[in-house]
């Protein structure tokens, strides 16, 4: 009998040959043990220990590449600390979250909410919100450790005035104290801050270095034991995920994602085990997703330039130059109703797309006619198809 889509669901429910618990590989999962971060954990512990007695720890600025365990470890240790005392309390905000930290108002309202005060989502004067937050802090009568994760994104959205205010809140508190922990994966972030904010935020600094391949293997192994059924992992799979992630920036999140996607691909193909070939496919898929996301995040004008370059390249034209892209770009603007920029600006946008690795452009000299760029599209067929679909959705490609 012909199998139907219902059988696919049924199979999925009854036999799960690959995963025992896929959640163990997800971003949300909090591992029970953390390896290879002893030094950083001791450093954090030393800094925040005074909070156990209700004293005020120094403010800390924590930085390091993406996926180096910053969020995991700071949340883990501060919670452990708070469990051992009734004199301290931890507040955590991920500043990348929309609607939580888009404005100073929203962030303060969120913090007040965590302390049990309800504030309307908008409408009050900011001073009023500060007042409520300070009252709520005072009512705690504790040392409050405030973790601002992805703090760079807060400053990008609201400026650093809020950090100035937060680092000076202590002046308004008598029964409570507040210390800040700022976390960022943008290493140059602190340099852009008002010097006063910078020096009070980084009374202490902790750096999280990238993991090497061996460390990533340990992290993966620990999770793989929970996530996969016995005997599913083929030889070299973990080593390959670790090596690929170490090559880039020692990113544990990427290593875990590779392993998870490799498992999903094997599962979808109804295979009984995962091989290193699945890891290769997983990497392709991750790269593809990344490039497509980058393109989607570009301003409309850049997307129009890219659409023009793609149109030219698909028409088979060789030696595509800035001027060629510009004339097709004019068409794209006309047909999609967007404002036209000058050729000079288009040349800049081409350079930006080049930096993002989406196209390749080589500056060539045309003697006394000046310089131009020769443009090639670098994308593989799968990525290109997805990008074209996205450009079509925004009416930039016909
Ligand atoms: N030492 C470790 N042991 C076990 N798991 C780890 C370790 N370090 C990181 N991980 C896991 O790797 C993933 C990424 O870690 P985390 O979110 O802490 O990175 P991050 O440094 O905060 O990155 P970002 O800057 O992008 O926010 C999480 O799933 C986390 O559980
Ligand atoms: Mg993080």
């Amino acid at each position: 009998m012909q199998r139907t889509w219902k059988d696919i669901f049924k199979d999925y429910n009854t036999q799960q040959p690959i995963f025992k618990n896929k959640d163990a590989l997800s971003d949300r999962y909090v591992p029970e043990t953390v390896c290879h971060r002893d030094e950083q954990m001791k450093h954090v512990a030393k800094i925040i220990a005074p909070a156990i007695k209700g004293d005020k720890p120094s403010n800390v600025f924590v930085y390091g590449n993406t996926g180096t365990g910053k969020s995991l470890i700071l949340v883990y240790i501060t919670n452990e600390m708070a469990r051992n005392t009734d004199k301290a309390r931890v507040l955590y905000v991920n500043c990348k979250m929309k609607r939580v930290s888009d404005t100073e108002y929203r962030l303060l309202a969120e913090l007040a909410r965590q302390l049990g005060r309800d504030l309307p989502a908008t409408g009050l004067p900011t001073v009023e919100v500060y007042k409520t937050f300070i009252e709520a802090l005072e009512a705690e009568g504790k040392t409050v450790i405030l973790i601002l994760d992805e703090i760079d994104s807060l400053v990008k959205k609201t400026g650093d005035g809020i950090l100035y205010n937060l680092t000076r809140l202590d002046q308004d508190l008598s029964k409570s104290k507040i210390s800040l922990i700022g976390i960022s994966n943008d290493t140059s972030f602190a340099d852009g801050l008002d010097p006063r904010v910078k020096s009070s935020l980084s009374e202490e600094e902790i750096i999280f270095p990238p993991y090497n391949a061996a460390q990533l293997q340990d992290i993966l192994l620990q999770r793989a034991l929970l996530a996969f059924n016995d005997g599913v992992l083929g030889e070299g799979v973990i080593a390959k995920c670790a090596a690929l992630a170490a090559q880039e920036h020692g990113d544990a999140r990427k290593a875990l994602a590779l392993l998870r996607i490799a498992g999903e691909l094997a599962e979808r193909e109804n295979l009984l085990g995962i091989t290193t070939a699945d890891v290769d496919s997983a990497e392709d898929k991750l790269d593809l997703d990344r490039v497509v996301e980058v393109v989607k995040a570009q301003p409309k004008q850049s997307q129009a330039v890219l659409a023009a370059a793609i149109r030219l390249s698909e028409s088979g034209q060789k030696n595509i130059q800035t001027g060629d892209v510009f004339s097709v770009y004019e068409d794209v603007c006309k047909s999609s109703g967007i404002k036209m920029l000058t050729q000079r600006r288009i040349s800049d946008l081409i350079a930006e797309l080049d930096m993002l690795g989406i196209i390749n452009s080589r500056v060539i000299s045309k003697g006394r006619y000046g310089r131009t760029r020769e443009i090639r599209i670098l994308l593989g067929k799968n990525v290109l198809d997805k990008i074209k679909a996205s450009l079509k959705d925004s009416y930039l490609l016909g």
Side-chain angles (χ1 to χ4, degrees), residues 25-85:
L25 296 175
S26 84
D27 248 10
R28 295 180 310 275
Y29 184 82
V30 182
E32 271 176 28
T33 45
V34 174
C35 39
H36 301 300
R37 280 297 180 233
D38 268 5
E39 201 183 306
Q40 287 73 20
M41 290 168 87
K42 280 190 203 140
H43 196 166
V44 181
K46 251 189 220 153
I47 296 169
I48 63 171
I52 295 180
K53 287 193 177 163
D55 293 333
K56 177 184 150 66
S58 302
N59 294 330
V60 198
F61 180 51
V62 177
Y63 62 99
N65 276 336
T66 184
T68 48
K70 301 181 297 296
S71 302
L72 169 69
I73 277 148
L74 269 299
V75 170
Y76 185 88
I77 290 230
T78 47
N79 284 333
E80 273 302 299
M81 183 277 295
R83 270 217 318 219
N84 288 305
T85 176

Side-chain angles (χ1 to χ4, degrees), residues 98-236:
K98 284 212 173 73
R99 284 187 288 279
V100 169
S101 56
D102 302 351
T103 60
E104 185 169 21
Y105 184 112
R106 282 201 166 145
L107 179 71
L108 293 169
E110 164 66 20
L111 295 173
R113 199 190 53 73
Q114 290 191 18
L115 294 171
R117 306 290 165 112
D118 242 354
L119 282 169
T122 52
L124 296 176
T126 309
V127 220
E128 205 56 40
V129 191
Y130 262 109
K131 228 176 100 197
T132 312
F133 176 48
I134 289 169
E135 278 166 16
L137 278 174
E138 279 291 72
E140 285 290 309
K142 291 184 182 177
T143 295
V144 173
I145 297 201
L146 167 56
I147 305 181
L148 295 172
D149 202 350
E150 319 254 3
I151 190 171
D152 45 314
S153 108
L154 174 70
V155 171
K156 255 182 228 137
K157 287 185 280 191
T158 70
D160 60 8
I162 184 164
L163 293 184
Y164 183 83
N165 293 335
L166 288 175
T167 50
R168 270 149 191 78
L169 270 186
D170 266 316
Q171 296 165 357
D172 298 320
L173 298 170
S174 56
K175 299 194 193 69
S176 291
K177 304 185 175 79
I178 183 164
S179 296
L180 298 188
I181 298 182
I183 307 180
S184 172
N185 57 28
D186 175 356
T187 39
S188 59
F189 156 74
D191 300 334
L193 293 175
D194 175 328
R196 290 168 302 177
V197 175
K198 182 179 172 186
S199 72
S200 38
L201 179 65
S202 31
E203 288 169 342
E204 296 275 356
E205 282 185 346
I206 305 181
I207 303 172
F208 278 58
Y211 292 114
N212 63 33
Q215 294 171 330
L216 288 173
Q217 281 205 44
D218 290 338
I219 294 174
L220 288 176
L221 253 170
Q222 196 190 39
R223 300 283 187 100
L225 286 174
L226 302 169
F228 295 114
N229 285 316
D230 290 348
V232 161
L233 271 178
E235 178 140 1

